[in-house]
Amino acid sequence: MSNYGTTRHHPAAAQKGVTDYHTTLFRRLSWEGTVPLEIRVDPQELPANSERGLECYFIQAPRVSYLPLLMPEIRRFLMDVVFDETAAKALKEEDWWFEADDGTLLKWHWPIGLIYDNHSILATVRPGSSLAGSMATPLRLILHLASPPTDKLLLSPSAESCKQAFMGQLKEADFIRWGNTKRITGLRKVDQDGLWEGIREHNFDDYWRVATKVTPTTTPNRSQSPGPPPSSVSMHGRPPSADNAGPPERDGAYNVRSVPVRVYLPDGPVIQDLVPPLLEDGTPHTLSHFLSTHIPLLFPPRPPAPPPSRAKPNPQAPSVPELAYPLVQGVLTPLESEMAWLGACLAGADGWLNICVGVNKK
Amino acid sequence: MHVIGFMAETTTAPSETARQLPWATPESSDVNEDALKALETYKKRDPSKVVVRFKAVGNAPIMKQNFYKITASNRFQAVIQFLRKELGWKASDPLFTYINLAFSPAPDDTVSNLFKSFCTDGHLIVNYSTTAAWG
């Protein structure tokens, strides 16, 4: 794993501007995450003289990418292998659109990882969905070649409008964190474009060279954050590197006004609210606290432990039913994770921490 | 782009060797009913309304009335459509919309979510322009 971090033994790692090993590791892991897609042209729309039986294409797509960025590759395959040359000329790519095999329209401006996770949590409440059997099953997509339902897709399928939507999300995230968009608008044009190019080329270094200027750092501000109480110190806590108490960081993840977070429930709705990094008592805002505050029916708050007695010197809090689970970047996420840390290390390329909630079986 | 693509001649998905994760059992009939009830509760649309205040930017025409109560569960797309109608804008006329003079929200963001995160003095301020201003 030595290639995942570049600063582990670097003496300058604690200095501002250099990202620590664990932060880079988690950013790298989420950046390199991919999802399997199975893309099939709607058989009823396949033009005459097409190579039937070959109209299916498999792709392992980056989570941080977008469907419009996959179109050139899919188009090349279809044109070269499937479509008859004459028929291909009549097709207009701006009429193409995707649907999941359960009839859900796929939005052009959602990151592919989010589309996949959102579909996989839907499968936890719907029998017979393509992802019900296993998370490693490809997400089955149907490619339509005509009559896009423009009013529901909301945006045109071009890479340019996808880029505009991405920049909008990046600025919205910036505004949530700091109350203004100065960090993004302060970037030179070439750097703003560089963020998008990094996604288009799936190049971690190109993207993060610019993104470190707008993403919070993970060095905690000791004067404000006393750290978790002793009872919650565990392997799931903040990575050890984050505890190298440095000077208070103006750009620190624990100093933002709010963490940009959206919660996706199976078949909707999407919940978004202000998520301060620290609670009023100064302790870090955990995923557990966030979920049991915003969706308590799915994540019931745990009642406090009874007072210790002679018979039970270390009483445990009563257990609550585990009805649901949170996925971040497709990963089952420990409830004691801190929202600020998740926002700095596991957010998508657009700056948003997307939490997809799936439902447990009985 | 570094993506791995390959052709498939058959339609069989490579699922037989796929790893089974604990929460993904093939039987879907045993979904927890309490969880489903909870989801139904959260799916109910919020009937409350919030005040949206429209502010013209640059050469955009000013609206005589610029405060509107809009149902919170609406998507931002509905706000854009409403604004176009009020301005008598044709579908082809350019119109750019922003929150707090800062960013364009995604059209599928709900008014309720935007209001919770960005309201100013009890209003959601929507700026509109005929040219890209903070794009």
Side-chain angles (χ1 to χ4, degrees), chain A residues 58 60 62 73 77 109-110 134 171 200 270 272 295-297 325 362, chain B residues 1 3-4 6-8 19-20 23 30 42 108-109 113 134-135:
Chain A
F58 286 85
Q60 192 73 29
E73 181 184 338
F77 166 77
H109 63 289
W110 278 27
S134 159
K171 284 178 196 167
R200 185 193 279 273
V270 179
Q272 176 185 331
I295 37 174
L297 296 175
Y325 60 87
K362 261 188 277 192
Chain B
M1 168 160 322
V3 286
I4 308 156
F6 54 92
M7 282 188 289
R19 193 161 56 102
Q20 290 284 327
W23 60 83
D30 55 354
Y42 292 129
D108 50 346
D109 275 350
N113 281 342
W134 298 275

PDB file of all heavy atoms in Angstrom, chain A residues 58 60 62 73 77 109-110 134 171 200 270 272 295-297 325 362, chain B residues 1 3-4 6-8 19-20 23 30 42 108-109 113 134-135:
ATOM      1  N   PHE A  58     -20.070  -4.046 -20.668  1.00  0.00           N
ATOM      2  CA  PHE A  58     -19.759  -3.996 -19.241  1.00  0.00           C
ATOM      3  C   PHE A  58     -18.652  -2.983 -19.010  1.00  0.00           C
ATOM      4  O   PHE A  58     -17.715  -2.884 -19.804  1.00  0.00           O
ATOM      5  CB  PHE A  58     -19.304  -5.372 -18.737  1.00  0.00           C
ATOM      6  CG  PHE A  58     -20.414  -6.362 -18.601  1.00  0.00           C
ATOM      7  CD1 PHE A  58     -20.835  -7.114 -19.685  1.00  0.00           C
ATOM      8  CD2 PHE A  58     -21.059  -6.532 -17.387  1.00  0.00           C
ATOM      9  CE1 PHE A  58     -21.873  -8.029 -19.565  1.00  0.00           C
ATOM     10  CE2 PHE A  58     -22.090  -7.451 -17.246  1.00  0.00           C
ATOM     11  CZ  PHE A  58     -22.501  -8.197 -18.340  1.00  0.00           C
ATOM     12  N   GLN A  60     -16.334  -1.003 -15.720  1.00  0.00           N
ATOM     13  CA  GLN A  60     -16.021  -0.798 -14.310  1.00  0.00           C
ATOM     14  C   GLN A  60     -15.746   0.697 -14.182  1.00  0.00           C
ATOM     15  O   GLN A  60     -14.683   1.170 -14.555  1.00  0.00           O
ATOM     16  CB  GLN A  60     -14.792  -1.645 -13.934  1.00  0.00           C
ATOM     17  CG  GLN A  60     -14.513  -1.766 -12.460  1.00  0.00           C
ATOM     18  CD  GLN A  60     -15.505  -2.685 -11.739  1.00  0.00           C
ATOM     19  OE1 GLN A  60     -16.040  -3.609 -12.329  1.00  0.00           O
ATOM     20  NE2 GLN A  60     -15.747  -2.396 -10.473  1.00  0.00           N
ATOM     21  N   PRO A  62     -15.420   4.576 -12.503  1.00  0.00           N
ATOM     22  CA  PRO A  62     -15.020   5.244 -11.257  1.00  0.00           C
ATOM     23  C   PRO A  62     -16.235   5.830 -10.541  1.00  0.00           C
ATOM     24  O   PRO A  62     -17.114   6.398 -11.175  1.00  0.00           O
ATOM     25  CB  PRO A  62     -14.094   6.373 -11.739  1.00  0.00           C
ATOM     26  CG  PRO A  62     -13.683   6.013 -13.113  1.00  0.00           C
ATOM     27  CD  PRO A  62     -14.797   5.194 -13.682  1.00  0.00           C
ATOM     28  N   GLU A  73     -16.922   6.368 -24.668  1.00  0.00           N
ATOM     29  CA  GLU A  73     -16.474   4.979 -24.727  1.00  0.00           C
ATOM     30  C   GLU A  73     -17.620   4.049 -25.141  1.00  0.00           C
ATOM     31  O   GLU A  73     -17.444   3.145 -25.963  1.00  0.00           O
ATOM     32  CB  GLU A  73     -15.921   4.573 -23.358  1.00  0.00           C
ATOM     33  CG  GLU A  73     -15.417   3.151 -23.340  1.00  0.00           C
ATOM     34  CD  GLU A  73     -14.951   2.723 -21.952  1.00  0.00           C
ATOM     35  OE1 GLU A  73     -14.635   3.596 -21.130  1.00  0.00           O
ATOM     36  OE2 GLU A  73     -14.911   1.502 -21.718  1.00  0.00           O
ATOM     37  N   PHE A  77     -17.954   1.827 -28.692  1.00  0.00           N
ATOM     38  CA  PHE A  77     -18.240   0.398 -28.746  1.00  0.00           C
ATOM     39  C   PHE A  77     -19.457   0.109 -29.629  1.00  0.00           C
ATOM     40  O   PHE A  77     -19.409  -0.745 -30.519  1.00  0.00           O
ATOM     41  CB  PHE A  77     -18.480  -0.147 -27.330  1.00  0.00           C
ATOM     42  CG  PHE A  77     -19.101  -1.516 -27.324  1.00  0.00           C
ATOM     43  CD1 PHE A  77     -18.339  -2.636 -27.597  1.00  0.00           C
ATOM     44  CD2 PHE A  77     -20.458  -1.679 -27.063  1.00  0.00           C
ATOM     45  CE1 PHE A  77     -18.915  -3.895 -27.614  1.00  0.00           C
ATOM     46  CE2 PHE A  77     -21.039  -2.938 -27.075  1.00  0.00           C
ATOM     47  CZ  PHE A  77     -20.268  -4.049 -27.356  1.00  0.00           C
ATOM     48  N   HIS A 109     -26.367  14.280 -13.671  1.00  0.00           N
ATOM     49  CA  HIS A 109     -25.482  15.058 -12.795  1.00  0.00           C
ATOM     50  C   HIS A 109     -25.199  14.388 -11.455  1.00  0.00           C
ATOM     51  O   HIS A 109     -24.623  15.004 -10.589  1.00  0.00           O
ATOM     52  CB  HIS A 109     -26.075  16.457 -12.580  1.00  0.00           C
ATOM     53  CG  HIS A 109     -27.405  16.449 -11.892  1.00  0.00           C
ATOM     54  ND1 HIS A 109     -28.548  16.012 -12.499  1.00  0.00           N
ATOM     55  CD2 HIS A 109     -27.766  16.814 -10.646  1.00  0.00           C
ATOM     56  CE1 HIS A 109     -29.576  16.117 -11.666  1.00  0.00           C
ATOM     57  NE2 HIS A 109     -29.118  16.603 -10.529  1.00  0.00           N
ATOM     58  N   TRP A 110     -25.595  13.118 -11.285  1.00  0.00           N
ATOM     59  CA  TRP A 110     -25.235  12.411 -10.055  1.00  0.00           C
ATOM     60  C   TRP A 110     -23.936  11.648 -10.272  1.00  0.00           C
ATOM     61  O   TRP A 110     -23.754  10.995 -11.304  1.00  0.00           O
ATOM     62  CB  TRP A 110     -26.323  11.409  -9.683  1.00  0.00           C
ATOM     63  CG  TRP A 110     -27.492  11.987  -8.965  1.00  0.00           C
ATOM     64  CD1 TRP A 110     -27.949  13.274  -9.044  1.00  0.00           C
ATOM     65  CD2 TRP A 110     -28.361  11.296  -8.059  1.00  0.00           C
ATOM     66  NE1 TRP A 110     -29.056  13.418  -8.240  1.00  0.00           N
ATOM     67  CE2 TRP A 110     -29.333  12.232  -7.627  1.00  0.00           C
ATOM     68  CE3 TRP A 110     -28.436   9.993  -7.580  1.00  0.00           C
ATOM     69  CZ2 TRP A 110     -30.346  11.888  -6.727  1.00  0.00           C
ATOM     70  CZ3 TRP A 110     -29.441   9.663  -6.693  1.00  0.00           C
ATOM     71  CH2 TRP A 110     -30.383  10.598  -6.269  1.00  0.00           C
ATOM     72  N   SER A 134     -26.310  -9.539  -4.324  1.00  0.00           N
ATOM     73  CA  SER A 134     -24.963  -9.267  -3.876  1.00  0.00           C
ATOM     74  C   SER A 134     -24.550  -7.879  -4.308  1.00  0.00           C
ATOM     75  O   SER A 134     -24.941  -7.401  -5.355  1.00  0.00           O
ATOM     76  CB  SER A 134     -24.006 -10.288  -4.480  1.00  0.00           C
ATOM     77  OG  SER A 134     -22.709  -9.772  -4.464  1.00  0.00           O
ATOM     78  N   LYS A 171     -19.529  24.658  -5.252  1.00  0.00           N
ATOM     79  CA  LYS A 171     -19.724  25.963  -4.613  1.00  0.00           C
ATOM     80  C   LYS A 171     -20.745  25.881  -3.488  1.00  0.00           C
ATOM     81  O   LYS A 171     -20.585  26.536  -2.455  1.00  0.00           O
ATOM     82  CB  LYS A 171     -20.193  26.990  -5.650  1.00  0.00           C
ATOM     83  CG  LYS A 171     -19.070  27.453  -6.540  1.00  0.00           C
ATOM     84  CD  LYS A 171     -19.578  28.426  -7.569  1.00  0.00           C
ATOM     85  CE  LYS A 171     -18.547  28.575  -8.667  1.00  0.00           C
ATOM     86  NZ  LYS A 171     -19.092  29.246  -9.838  1.00  0.00           N
ATOM     87  N   ARG A 200     -12.460  13.858 -15.231  1.00  0.00           N
ATOM     88  CA  ARG A 200     -12.589  13.332 -16.588  1.00  0.00           C
ATOM     89  C   ARG A 200     -11.502  12.291 -16.888  1.00  0.00           C
ATOM     90  O   ARG A 200     -11.768  11.248 -17.457  1.00  0.00           O
ATOM     91  CB  ARG A 200     -12.474  14.496 -17.577  1.00  0.00           C
ATOM     92  CG  ARG A 200     -12.696  14.112 -19.012  1.00  0.00           C
ATOM     93  CD  ARG A 200     -12.249  15.245 -19.920  1.00  0.00           C
ATOM     94  NE  ARG A 200     -13.232  16.301 -20.048  1.00  0.00           N
ATOM     95  CZ  ARG A 200     -14.227  16.269 -20.958  1.00  0.00           C
ATOM     96  NH1 ARG A 200     -14.337  15.276 -21.793  1.00  0.00           N
ATOM     97  NH2 ARG A 200     -15.090  17.251 -21.016  1.00  0.00           N
ATOM     98  N   VAL A 270     -34.396  12.812  -0.075  1.00  0.00           N
ATOM     99  CA  VAL A 270     -33.024  13.194   0.218  1.00  0.00           C
ATOM    100  C   VAL A 270     -33.077  14.242   1.341  1.00  0.00           C
ATOM    101  O   VAL A 270     -33.838  15.204   1.245  1.00  0.00           O
ATOM    102  CB  VAL A 270     -32.336  13.783  -1.028  1.00  0.00           C
ATOM    103  CG1 VAL A 270     -30.906  14.195  -0.698  1.00  0.00           C
ATOM    104  CG2 VAL A 270     -32.361  12.786  -2.170  1.00  0.00           C
ATOM    105  N   GLN A 272     -31.205  16.985   3.770  1.00  0.00           N
ATOM    106  CA  GLN A 272     -30.024  17.852   3.873  1.00  0.00           C
ATOM    107  C   GLN A 272     -30.306  18.855   4.979  1.00  0.00           C
ATOM    108  O   GLN A 272     -31.392  19.409   5.063  1.00  0.00           O
ATOM    109  CB  GLN A 272     -29.834  18.555   2.529  1.00  0.00           C
ATOM    110  CG  GLN A 272     -28.712  19.570   2.485  1.00  0.00           C
ATOM    111  CD  GLN A 272     -28.680  20.295   1.131  1.00  0.00           C
ATOM    112  OE1 GLN A 272     -29.078  19.747   0.112  1.00  0.00           O
ATOM    113  NE2 GLN A 272     -28.220  21.525   1.135  1.00  0.00           N
ATOM    114  N   ILE A 295     -33.068  10.931  11.481  1.00  0.00           N
ATOM    115  CA  ILE A 295     -33.989   9.844  11.107  1.00  0.00           C
ATOM    116  C   ILE A 295     -34.083   8.855  12.276  1.00  0.00           C
ATOM    117  O   ILE A 295     -33.694   7.691  12.167  1.00  0.00           O
ATOM    118  CB  ILE A 295     -33.565   9.147   9.782  1.00  0.00           C
ATOM    119  CG1 ILE A 295     -32.038   9.019   9.645  1.00  0.00           C
ATOM    120  CG2 ILE A 295     -34.117   9.854   8.575  1.00  0.00           C
ATOM    121  CD1 ILE A 295     -31.600   8.207   8.420  1.00  0.00           C
ATOM    122  N   PRO A 296     -34.659   9.330  13.424  1.00  0.00           N
ATOM    123  CA  PRO A 296     -34.689   8.507  14.641  1.00  0.00           C
ATOM    124  C   PRO A 296     -35.521   7.234  14.500  1.00  0.00           C
ATOM    125  O   PRO A 296     -35.274   6.271  15.220  1.00  0.00           O
ATOM    126  CB  PRO A 296     -35.299   9.444  15.692  1.00  0.00           C
ATOM    127  CG  PRO A 296     -36.023  10.488  14.911  1.00  0.00           C
ATOM    128  CD  PRO A 296     -35.274  10.651  13.623  1.00  0.00           C
ATOM    129  N   LEU A 297     -36.469   7.219  13.558  1.00  0.00           N
ATOM    130  CA  LEU A 297     -37.268   5.995  13.417  1.00  0.00           C
ATOM    131  C   LEU A 297     -36.426   4.858  12.835  1.00  0.00           C
ATOM    132  O   LEU A 297     -36.715   3.694  13.062  1.00  0.00           O
ATOM    133  CB  LEU A 297     -38.486   6.253  12.512  1.00  0.00           C
ATOM    134  CG  LEU A 297     -39.515   7.262  13.031  1.00  0.00           C
ATOM    135  CD1 LEU A 297     -40.590   7.497  11.988  1.00  0.00           C
ATOM    136  CD2 LEU A 297     -40.118   6.778  14.344  1.00  0.00           C
ATOM    137  N   TYR A 325     -28.689   0.680   8.070  1.00  0.00           N
ATOM    138  CA  TYR A 325     -27.232   0.865   8.101  1.00  0.00           C
ATOM    139  C   TYR A 325     -26.834   1.965   7.131  1.00  0.00           C
ATOM    140  O   TYR A 325     -27.492   2.175   6.113  1.00  0.00           O
ATOM    141  CB  TYR A 325     -26.517  -0.441   7.754  1.00  0.00           C
ATOM    142  CG  TYR A 325     -26.856  -0.969   6.374  1.00  0.00           C
ATOM    143  CD1 TYR A 325     -26.148  -0.542   5.251  1.00  0.00           C
ATOM    144  CD2 TYR A 325     -27.899  -1.876   6.184  1.00  0.00           C
ATOM    145  CE1 TYR A 325     -26.461  -1.002   3.996  1.00  0.00           C
ATOM    146  CE2 TYR A 325     -28.229  -2.333   4.917  1.00  0.00           C
ATOM    147  CZ  TYR A 325     -27.503  -1.898   3.827  1.00  0.00           C
ATOM    148  OH  TYR A 325     -27.832  -2.349   2.572  1.00  0.00           O
ATOM    149  N   LYS A 362     -34.714  -8.805   8.805  1.00  0.00           N
ATOM    150  CA  LYS A 362     -35.094  -9.191  10.170  1.00  0.00           C
ATOM    151  C   LYS A 362     -34.068 -10.133  10.766  1.00  0.00           C
ATOM    152  O   LYS A 362     -33.466 -10.929  10.055  1.00  0.00           O
ATOM    153  CB  LYS A 362     -36.457  -9.886  10.141  1.00  0.00           C
ATOM    154  CG  LYS A 362     -37.571  -8.931  10.518  1.00  0.00           C
ATOM    155  CD  LYS A 362     -38.891  -9.662  10.686  1.00  0.00           C
ATOM    156  CE  LYS A 362     -39.568  -9.854   9.352  1.00  0.00           C
ATOM    157  NZ  LYS A 362     -40.939 -10.289   9.400  1.00  0.00           N
TER     158      LYS A 362
ATOM    159  N   MET B   1      -9.511   8.427 -19.570  1.00  0.00           N
ATOM    160  CA  MET B   1     -10.198   7.817 -18.433  1.00  0.00           C
ATOM    161  C   MET B   1      -9.767   6.370 -18.280  1.00  0.00           C
ATOM    162  O   MET B   1      -9.792   5.604 -19.220  1.00  0.00           O
ATOM    163  CB  MET B   1     -11.704   7.907 -18.674  1.00  0.00           C
ATOM    164  CG  MET B   1     -12.464   7.060 -17.701  1.00  0.00           C
ATOM    165  SD  MET B   1     -14.157   7.534 -17.547  1.00  0.00           S
ATOM    166  CE  MET B   1     -14.080   9.265 -17.639  1.00  0.00           C
ATOM    167  N   VAL B   3     -10.914   3.334 -17.366  1.00  0.00           N
ATOM    168  CA  VAL B   3     -12.004   2.435 -17.035  1.00  0.00           C
ATOM    169  C   VAL B   3     -11.777   1.148 -17.795  1.00  0.00           C
ATOM    170  O   VAL B   3     -11.167   1.143 -18.856  1.00  0.00           O
ATOM    171  CB  VAL B   3     -13.376   3.018 -17.407  1.00  0.00           C
ATOM    172  CG1 VAL B   3     -13.771   4.107 -16.450  1.00  0.00           C
ATOM    173  CG2 VAL B   3     -13.367   3.540 -18.813  1.00  0.00           C
ATOM    174  N   ILE B   4     -12.235   0.081 -17.199  1.00  0.00           N
ATOM    175  CA  ILE B   4     -12.063  -1.205 -17.841  1.00  0.00           C
ATOM    176  C   ILE B   4     -13.370  -1.541 -18.519  1.00  0.00           C
ATOM    177  O   ILE B   4     -14.411  -1.603 -17.870  1.00  0.00           O
ATOM    178  CB  ILE B   4     -11.722  -2.292 -16.810  1.00  0.00           C
ATOM    179  CG1 ILE B   4     -10.536  -1.830 -15.956  1.00  0.00           C
ATOM    180  CG2 ILE B   4     -11.400  -3.603 -17.495  1.00  0.00           C
ATOM    181  CD1 ILE B   4     -10.490  -2.506 -14.622  1.00  0.00           C
ATOM    182  N   PHE B   6     -15.357  -4.205 -21.278  1.00  0.00           N
ATOM    183  CA  PHE B   6     -15.219  -5.421 -22.064  1.00  0.00           C
ATOM    184  C   PHE B   6     -16.568  -5.819 -22.610  1.00  0.00           C
ATOM    185  O   PHE B   6     -17.604  -5.456 -22.072  1.00  0.00           O
ATOM    186  CB  PHE B   6     -14.583  -6.549 -21.266  1.00  0.00           C
ATOM    187  CG  PHE B   6     -15.278  -6.861 -19.966  1.00  0.00           C
ATOM    188  CD1 PHE B   6     -16.270  -7.813 -19.912  1.00  0.00           C
ATOM    189  CD2 PHE B   6     -14.915  -6.177 -18.801  1.00  0.00           C
ATOM    190  CE1 PHE B   6     -16.898  -8.097 -18.725  1.00  0.00           C
ATOM    191  CE2 PHE B   6     -15.546  -6.466 -17.616  1.00  0.00           C
ATOM    192  CZ  PHE B   6     -16.547  -7.429 -17.570  1.00  0.00           C
ATOM    193  N   MET B   7     -16.547  -6.577 -23.682  1.00  0.00           N
ATOM    194  CA  MET B   7     -17.776  -7.011 -24.310  1.00  0.00           C
ATOM    195  C   MET B   7     -18.286  -8.257 -23.618  1.00  0.00           C
ATOM    196  O   MET B   7     -17.528  -9.022 -23.066  1.00  0.00           O
ATOM    197  CB  MET B   7     -17.508  -7.384 -25.768  1.00  0.00           C
ATOM    198  CG  MET B   7     -17.383  -6.228 -26.692  1.00  0.00           C
ATOM    199  SD  MET B   7     -17.304  -6.894 -28.331  1.00  0.00           S
ATOM    200  CE  MET B   7     -15.707  -7.637 -28.333  1.00  0.00           C
ATOM    201  N   ALA B   8     -19.564  -8.459 -23.701  1.00  0.00           N
ATOM    202  CA  ALA B   8     -20.124  -9.702 -23.192  1.00  0.00           C
ATOM    203  C   ALA B   8     -21.009 -10.275 -24.274  1.00  0.00           C
ATOM    204  O   ALA B   8     -21.858  -9.592 -24.815  1.00  0.00           O
ATOM    205  CB  ALA B   8     -20.934  -9.447 -21.944  1.00  0.00           C
ATOM    206  N   ARG B  19     -19.192 -12.180  -3.760  1.00  0.00           N
ATOM    207  CA  ARG B  19     -19.125 -12.292  -2.304  1.00  0.00           C
ATOM    208  C   ARG B  19     -20.476 -11.899  -1.709  1.00  0.00           C
ATOM    209  O   ARG B  19     -21.073 -10.912  -2.092  1.00  0.00           O
ATOM    210  CB  ARG B  19     -18.041 -11.337  -1.811  1.00  0.00           C
ATOM    211  CG  ARG B  19     -17.632 -11.546  -0.394  1.00  0.00           C
ATOM    212  CD  ARG B  19     -16.276 -10.888  -0.205  1.00  0.00           C
ATOM    213  NE  ARG B  19     -16.323  -9.474  -0.572  1.00  0.00           N
ATOM    214  CZ  ARG B  19     -16.390  -8.497   0.327  1.00  0.00           C
ATOM    215  NH1 ARG B  19     -16.430  -8.762   1.601  1.00  0.00           N
ATOM    216  NH2 ARG B  19     -16.394  -7.244  -0.062  1.00  0.00           N
ATOM    217  N   GLN B  20     -20.957 -12.665  -0.786  1.00  0.00           N
ATOM    218  CA  GLN B  20     -22.209 -12.337  -0.122  1.00  0.00           C
ATOM    219  C   GLN B  20     -21.905 -11.459   1.083  1.00  0.00           C
ATOM    220  O   GLN B  20     -21.099 -11.814   1.924  1.00  0.00           O
ATOM    221  CB  GLN B  20     -22.903 -13.616   0.358  1.00  0.00           C
ATOM    222  CG  GLN B  20     -23.458 -14.466  -0.772  1.00  0.00           C
ATOM    223  CD  GLN B  20     -24.723 -13.901  -1.361  1.00  0.00           C
ATOM    224  OE1 GLN B  20     -25.517 -13.297  -0.652  1.00  0.00           O
ATOM    225  NE2 GLN B  20     -24.911 -14.063  -2.657  1.00  0.00           N
ATOM    226  N   TRP B  23     -25.660  -8.059   4.870  1.00  0.00           N
ATOM    227  CA  TRP B  23     -26.970  -7.414   4.819  1.00  0.00           C
ATOM    228  C   TRP B  23     -27.696  -7.702   3.503  1.00  0.00           C
ATOM    229  O   TRP B  23     -28.782  -7.240   3.271  1.00  0.00           O
ATOM    230  CB  TRP B  23     -26.825  -5.912   5.008  1.00  0.00           C
ATOM    231  CG  TRP B  23     -25.978  -5.274   3.953  1.00  0.00           C
ATOM    232  CD1 TRP B  23     -26.371  -4.883   2.720  1.00  0.00           C
ATOM    233  CD2 TRP B  23     -24.593  -4.974   4.047  1.00  0.00           C
ATOM    234  NE1 TRP B  23     -25.313  -4.364   2.035  1.00  0.00           N
ATOM    235  CE2 TRP B  23     -24.221  -4.403   2.828  1.00  0.00           C
ATOM    236  CE3 TRP B  23     -23.642  -5.146   5.060  1.00  0.00           C
ATOM    237  CZ2 TRP B  23     -22.909  -3.993   2.585  1.00  0.00           C
ATOM    238  CZ3 TRP B  23     -22.344  -4.728   4.807  1.00  0.00           C
ATOM    239  CH2 TRP B  23     -21.992  -4.155   3.585  1.00  0.00           C
ATOM    240  N   ASP B  30     -38.275 -10.781   3.967  1.00  0.00           N
ATOM    241  CA  ASP B  30     -38.128 -10.598   5.408  1.00  0.00           C
ATOM    242  C   ASP B  30     -37.597  -9.208   5.758  1.00  0.00           C
ATOM    243  O   ASP B  30     -36.879  -9.036   6.719  1.00  0.00           O
ATOM    244  CB  ASP B  30     -37.216 -11.682   5.993  1.00  0.00           C
ATOM    245  CG  ASP B  30     -35.873 -11.737   5.300  1.00  0.00           C
ATOM    246  OD1 ASP B  30     -35.706 -11.006   4.296  1.00  0.00           O
ATOM    247  OD2 ASP B  30     -34.994 -12.479   5.748  1.00  0.00           O
ATOM    248  N   TYR B  42     -41.071   8.960   6.477  1.00  0.00           N
ATOM    249  CA  TYR B  42     -40.147   9.973   5.944  1.00  0.00           C
ATOM    250  C   TYR B  42     -40.472  10.349   4.502  1.00  0.00           C
ATOM    251  O   TYR B  42     -40.042  11.385   4.006  1.00  0.00           O
ATOM    252  CB  TYR B  42     -38.696   9.480   6.055  1.00  0.00           C
ATOM    253  CG  TYR B  42     -38.241   9.382   7.487  1.00  0.00           C
ATOM    254  CD1 TYR B  42     -37.661   8.219   7.983  1.00  0.00           C
ATOM    255  CD2 TYR B  42     -38.406  10.464   8.359  1.00  0.00           C
ATOM    256  CE1 TYR B  42     -37.257   8.136   9.303  1.00  0.00           C
ATOM    257  CE2 TYR B  42     -38.014  10.382   9.675  1.00  0.00           C
ATOM    258  CZ  TYR B  42     -37.435   9.210  10.153  1.00  0.00           C
ATOM    259  OH  TYR B  42     -37.051   9.131  11.463  1.00  0.00           O
ATOM    260  N   ASP B 108     -32.699  19.222  -8.701  1.00  0.00           N
ATOM    261  CA  ASP B 108     -33.474  18.281  -7.888  1.00  0.00           C
ATOM    262  C   ASP B 108     -33.299  18.497  -6.379  1.00  0.00           C
ATOM    263  O   ASP B 108     -33.836  17.733  -5.586  1.00  0.00           O
ATOM    264  CB  ASP B 108     -33.194  16.817  -8.274  1.00  0.00           C
ATOM    265  CG  ASP B 108     -31.718  16.484  -8.333  1.00  0.00           C
ATOM    266  OD1 ASP B 108     -30.895  17.419  -8.340  1.00  0.00           O
ATOM    267  OD2 ASP B 108     -31.387  15.286  -8.390  1.00  0.00           O
ATOM    268  N   ASP B 109     -32.567  19.506  -5.970  1.00  0.00           N
ATOM    269  CA  ASP B 109     -32.584  19.908  -4.562  1.00  0.00           C
ATOM    270  C   ASP B 109     -34.003  20.350  -4.210  1.00  0.00           C
ATOM    271  O   ASP B 109     -34.666  20.990  -5.029  1.00  0.00           O
ATOM    272  CB  ASP B 109     -31.667  21.124  -4.328  1.00  0.00           C
ATOM    273  CG  ASP B 109     -30.213  20.731  -4.098  1.00  0.00           C
ATOM    274  OD1 ASP B 109     -29.943  19.538  -3.941  1.00  0.00           O
ATOM    275  OD2 ASP B 109     -29.361  21.632  -4.080  1.00  0.00           O
ATOM    276  N   ASN B 113     -34.844  21.661   1.663  1.00  0.00           N
ATOM    277  CA  ASN B 113     -33.425  21.477   1.989  1.00  0.00           C
ATOM    278  C   ASN B 113     -32.640  22.765   1.794  1.00  0.00           C
ATOM    279  O   ASN B 113     -31.767  23.103   2.602  1.00  0.00           O
ATOM    280  CB  ASN B 113     -32.825  20.364   1.120  1.00  0.00           C
ATOM    281  CG  ASN B 113     -33.195  18.974   1.640  1.00  0.00           C
ATOM    282  OD1 ASN B 113     -33.607  18.823   2.787  1.00  0.00           O
ATOM    283  ND2 ASN B 113     -33.044  17.974   0.799  1.00  0.00           N
ATOM    284  N   TRP B 134     -22.395  33.811 -11.650  1.00  0.00           N
ATOM    285  CA  TRP B 134     -21.424  33.156 -10.755  1.00  0.00           C
ATOM    286  C   TRP B 134     -21.233  31.708 -11.168  1.00  0.00           C
ATOM    287  O   TRP B 134     -21.030  30.836 -10.371  1.00  0.00           O
ATOM    288  CB  TRP B 134     -21.887  33.230  -9.296  1.00  0.00           C
ATOM    289  CG  TRP B 134     -22.002  34.633  -8.827  1.00  0.00           C
ATOM    290  CD1 TRP B 134     -21.002  35.394  -8.322  1.00  0.00           C
ATOM    291  CD2 TRP B 134     -23.172  35.446  -8.855  1.00  0.00           C
ATOM    292  NE1 TRP B 134     -21.488  36.639  -8.042  1.00  0.00           N
ATOM    293  CE2 TRP B 134     -22.808  36.705  -8.346  1.00  0.00           C
ATOM    294  CE3 TRP B 134     -24.492  35.233  -9.266  1.00  0.00           C
ATOM    295  CZ2 TRP B 134     -23.725  37.747  -8.237  1.00  0.00           C
ATOM    296  CZ3 TRP B 134     -25.394  36.264  -9.160  1.00  0.00           C
ATOM    297  CH2 TRP B 134     -25.002  37.500  -8.644  1.00  0.00           C
ATOM    298  N   GLY B 135     -21.395  31.453 -12.476  1.00  0.00           N
ATOM    299  CA  GLY B 135     -21.293  30.067 -12.949  1.00  0.00           C
ATOM    300  C   GLY B 135     -19.853  29.650 -12.954  1.00  0.00           C
ATOM    301  O   GLY B 135     -19.522  28.540 -12.814  1.00  0.00           O
TER     302      GLY B 135
END
